[in-house]
Amino acid sequence: MGSIRQLSQQVINQIAAGEVIERPASALKELIENSLDAGAQSVNIWCDEGGLARILIEDDGSGITKDELPIAILRHATSKLKDDGNTADLTNINTLGFRGEALPSIGAVARMKIQSRHYLSSEAWEINIEGGQVSPIKPCAWAGLNSGTRIEVRDLFFATPARLKFMKSVRSENIAIIDVVKRLALSRPEIGFSLYLDGKISFRTKNHDETEPAARIRDIIGADLADDCLVIDVEREGVRLYGLASLPTASRSDSRFQFLFVNNRPVKDPMLKGVARAAYQDVLAKDRHPILALFLELEPKLVDVNVHPAKTEVRFRDPALIRGLIIGALRHAIGEVSVRASTSLASQTIGALGKSLQQTDAPKFYQGNYNYTPAPKPVQTGFYEGMPREFTPQQAPAPMARAFEEPQTEEVQPQSSPQNFPLGAAKAQLHNTYVVAQTDEGIVIVDQHAAHERLVLERMKAAMNETGIPRQLSLIPDVVEMDAVDCDNLLAKADELAQFGLVIEGFGDGAILVRETPAILGKINAKELLKDLADEIAGFDNAMRLKERIDEILSRMACHGSVRAGRQLGPVEMNALLREMEVTPRSGQCNHGRPTFVKLSLNDIEKLFGRK
Ligand code: ADP
Ligand code: MG
């Protein structure tokens, strides 16, 4: 009875602090956001012992006036939200902060010293707050002529030992700190940042003139991504999406390098990982993730930023529009780069070649006067029976047909070569696996198996979108014996499989009769194909329609129609392969996201030989 009491302001602040300040990185995030909101051009940060011992942040923003210093540390005191005593416009927020909670929360659980010089004043003032106890303000020394604010936070969570127990190692707190600073630094290329951990520089960024992200991405994620990436810039229904995304060949094994900014606010949206997966689905293996730095700009009204105390999540008025916009833009960009060389990949190749050259006992120099011995004439095998019929010139797309108008001789003649095509003129096949082609600016090496697998997949997808996959009748139907469960699973989907070009029937217990197979695949091993499909389908929910997993099914099938490594190709076939790659979307990666070709420029080759 009579046991309900109002909590003291101190305890209220500690409880509230628990939501906003979860770990050192979240305190630092709030402090940096304040600096950015204050118009700082440079933000310098020092953290000791994972930020638990000390966080120090200095900015050159507007500063805080003497009179306002004691107000800034009060709960729900902010200069950023106009409150007419009745309502505030929470739908139109243009600053990172607006809740007036960060400074009082940090002050409630740590020892905080704020020093600031307002831009209209020549004096600097200081206020201290320790575990919620505020000391009177006093004047302080201020180095430098500019306005700004310097905040030092010591012994975070000393006042809430329970929370202190939850802290992880210094190492993992440091990782979280670096992540927070990088995200904010990425969002504002024009602002210079530096971060010191235990006295050592962790990273530093320059002030960039432009507000576009490429320059900053180079500082933070690496030049590899900034120089060799998909550039996104689209707009739909007043929403602009811009930024950079990695080529499928430069993926990572986790999704840590996926950054999303909404009106320049770094947000963690669980949607992003799924959206990225959907967009890169058929160019990346399941366990690979693209690198993304995507910026959304939309009217503040269309996004609610007040859904999370730490303001790291947002809610979109129309989430489907945003999802669709991102997936569509990424897919479009991926489709466009089908025949683009990955230059960083080429430089890795050069690096590797350079190393291996140094390791060989090659003679120090070669004397000129080469005797040119022509390579053995490629054996004209004609069209291999497993070679899909679409490889014949008659059905070739336009540029490919043009390639065939050249006089056909047994050997590829340099003069008549389609060398000015992006993938050049095929010159040789090495190890029965790699096609080497000459272009105007260098050479191209194609992995014929990987490339062909991709082409078959793309053809199947196109056919599926149009009339369905054409089938070919097996003259003598194959009977494939299989495990009874696999048989049942496959037969249950027989109607659907027919649309994929595969006609099967039950054949007593534990066997399946294969009547027709996808014509695109050419001659295949039906047993292997059925086994693979059974494996794929085993992972599906029973009620799931195969069409929902069209990419998985088709890529399983495409593997079976590929020119396996080890088959000899004639010049006509090699050139046809190159021409088809040029006109096929996404042909730069195999179905597993590996590159299908690399380009080496003459420049690179000259470097390799020390000519440059
Ligand atoms: P919010 O950012 O939500 O307004 P905070 O508790 O983070 O709340 O900060 C309270 C107020 O203190 C801010 O509204 C701002 O006026 C002032 N302030 C905090 N940090 C700085 C800073 N680095 N430079 C200038 N003013 C600041
Ligand atoms: Mg704030």
Side-chain angles (χ1 to χ4, degrees), residues 283-328:
V283 290
L284 267 194
K286 283 205 180 80
D287 54 349
R288 304 294 298 177
H289 304 269
I291 306 167
L292 302 175
L294 297 177
F295 296 76
L296 278 167
E297 263 172 22
L298 67 174
E299 257 188 80
K301 273 203 294 254
L302 299 178
V303 49
D304 185 356
V305 293
N306 187 28
V307 291
H308 189 271
K311 304 159 286 161
T312 47
E313 285 171 25
V314 295
R315 202 163 289 158
F316 295 105
R317 177 88 66 80
D318 186 352
L321 169 75
I322 304 295
R323 257 185 78 90
L325 183 66
I326 301 179
I327 296 184

Side-chain angles (χ1 to χ4, degrees), residues 89-320:
D89 192 1
L90 277 168
T91 61
N92 192 14
I93 289 169
N94 295 301
T95 47
L96 293 166
F98 56 90
R99 298 167 60 110
E101 289 184 311
L103 295 184
S105 296
I106 298 170
V109 297
R111 301 181 218 279
M112 178 164 69
K113 180 202 298 274
I114 306 177
Q115 298 181 321
S116 193
R117 203 194 102 182
H118 191 254
Y119 71 102
L120 292 178
S121 162
S122 54
E123 302 155 6
W125 290 83
E126 169 180 321
I127 193 164
N128 284 274
I129 167 168
E130 295 198 0
Q133 295 295 337
V134 184
S135 313
I137 60 163
K138 55 184 183 193
C140 67
W142 189 255
L145 299 168
N146 293 329
S147 65
T149 303
R150 178 188 160 99
I151 300 184
E152 186 178 55
V153 178
R154 289 185 175 273
D155 306 325
L156 190 64
F157 301 128
F158 90 93
T160 48
R163 178 55 66 90
L164 194 54
K165 289 208 187 91
F166 280 92
M167 289 308 112
K168 307 220 174 77
S169 64
V170 165
R171 204 182 104 79
S172 54
E173 294 308 329
N174 277 341
I175 289 174
I177 285 171
I178 294 170
D179 185 63
V180 155
V181 183
K182 285 193 167 175
R183 279 175 198 273
L184 283 158
L186 268 174
S187 75
R188 303 292 284 273
E190 73 281 16
I191 297 174
F193 286 84
S194 69
L195 171 66
Y196 293 83
L197 297 174
D198 296 310
K200 281 197 237 72
I201 184 84
S202 167
F203 75 91
R204 191 198 312 271
T205 65
K206 295 193 282 265
N207 302 70
H208 293 287
D209 295 342
E210 66 271 62
T211 51
E212 294 297 300
R216 183 47 58 84
I217 285 171
R218 193 179 314 242
D219 292 345
I220 291 185
I221 306 181
D224 276 13
L225 177 67
D227 296 340
D228 202 16
C229 61
L230 307 171
V231 178
I232 312 281
D233 198 347
V234 293
E235 197 172 331
R236 194 198 291 172
E237 294 175 39
V239 182
R240 177 174 175 222
L241 172 73
Y242 67 97
L244 305 181
S246 59
L247 293 174
T249 43
S251 61
R252 296 287 163 101
S253 60
D254 59 38
S255 57
R256 252 185 319 138
F257 296 90
Q258 297 184 346
F259 302 95
L260 180 66
F261 304 86
V262 177
N263 291 340
N264 270 341
R265 177 191 302 277
V267 300
K268 289 196 168 151
D269 195 323
M271 149 197 96
L272 187 63
K273 196 167 152 190
V275 160
R277 176 158 304 149
Y280 281 74
Q281 186 174 42
D282 51 357
V283 290
L284 267 194
K286 283 205 180 80
D287 54 349
R288 304 294 298 177
H289 304 269
I291 306 167
L292 302 175
L294 297 177
F295 296 76
L296 278 167
E297 263 172 22
L298 67 174
E299 257 188 80
K301 273 203 294 254
L302 299 178
V303 49
D304 185 356
V305 293
N306 187 28
V307 291
H308 189 271
K311 304 159 286 161
T312 47
E313 285 171 25
V314 295
R315 202 163 289 158
F316 295 105
R317 177 88 66 80
D318 186 352

Side-chain angles (χ1 to χ4, degrees), residues 352-411:
L353 278 173
K355 260 185 232 126
S356 66
L357 281 181
Q358 280 158 19
Q359 282 156 7
T360 59
D361 308 323
K364 289 282 177 295
F365 64 91
Y366 295 94
Q367 201 70 40
N369 190 19
Y370 300 97
N371 265 325
Y372 178 64
T373 356
K377 237 189 201 176
V379 185
Q380 261 286 24
T381 47
F383 282 108
Y384 150 77
E385 47 176 355
M387 195 71 174
R389 282 174 305 156
E390 280 80 349
F391 264 121
T392 51
Q394 296 87 320
Q395 281 163 299
M400 176 167 150
R402 234 182 300 133
F404 283 97
E405 283 162 17
E406 316 281 2
Q408 292 296 328
T409 54
E410 291 257 75
E411 248 169 32

Side-chain angles (χ1 to χ4, degrees), residues 30 34 80 97 102 311:
E30 295 292 336
N34 283 342
K80 303 170 193 174
K311 304 159 286 161

Side-chain angles (χ1 to χ4, degrees), residues 8-18 73 75 104-105 108-109 129 132:
S8 69
Q9 196 56 42
Q10 189 121 331
V11 174
I12 292 174
N13 279 343
Q14 285 184 359
I15 292 173
I73 56 168
R75 179 153 299 278
S105 296
V109 297
I129 167 168

